[in-house]
Amino acid sequence: MKAYQTKISKLPGTSYAEVRKQAITVFNQLKKRTKRRPYARSAYFNKQKIFFDYFWPHLYQKNPEERFKRLKYFSAAIEVIKNSRITPTSKENPNNRSEILHRFLGLTKNKGLFYVQIKEDKKGNKKYFISCFPA
């Protein structure tokens, strides 16, 4: 599987609080662009909107160490969503047949591999950014 090379490295910081603050800043820049739900337009899905409804609740289900690891890739994951045209691995969600899970592979500026997971609702054809995590 081919990986999308980002121009962004991981978010710097040695503690969860530092990385979270930077991730919130990046997210707030996305949020400022709309009055409603924050989104990013995806190159792969023909500029369709990818919403962030599930990312933060999914992240807070994880333990703090796992949250720290995942948030480090947040800004790079947004770049992958916006710019990647590389075909992801896609499969039907085994828990819910009305959803498709797409998994993009990304490569940070410092050559760190990570995944970006997007959930597609078959009925409404809406797409949601679920998670980003190291490979």
Side-chain angles (χ1 to χ4, degrees), residues 45-62:
F45 295 111
N46 299 322
K47 298 294 181 188
Q48 287 184 336
K49 294 177 182 178
I50 308 292
F51 295 103
F52 290 84
D53 297 356
Y54 296 121
F55 175 72
W56 295 104
H58 177 76
L59 185 71
Y60 289 121
Q61 290 174 354
K62 308 295 179 197

Side-chain angles (χ1 to χ4, degrees), residues 73-97:
Y73 292 97
F74 184 68
S75 60
I78 291 173
E79 185 181 338
V80 169
I81 290 170
K82 287 181 175 180
N83 301 329
S84 177
R85 292 191 177 275
I86 298 171
T87 305
T89 56
S90 301
K91 65 177 184 176
E92 201 171 74
N93 187 350
N95 301 327
N96 188 348
R97 297 284 181 213

Side-chain angles (χ1 to χ4, degrees), residues 29-50:
Q29 289 171 356
L30 278 173
K31 227 166 129 175
K32 273 186 210 173
R33 292 177 160 190
T34 180
K35 293 178 184 176
R36 295 175 182 90
R37 297 188 303 175
Y39 64 88
R41 291 203 179 262
S42 171
Y44 178 76
F45 295 111
N46 299 322
K47 298 294 181 188
Q48 287 184 336
K49 294 177 182 178
I50 308 292

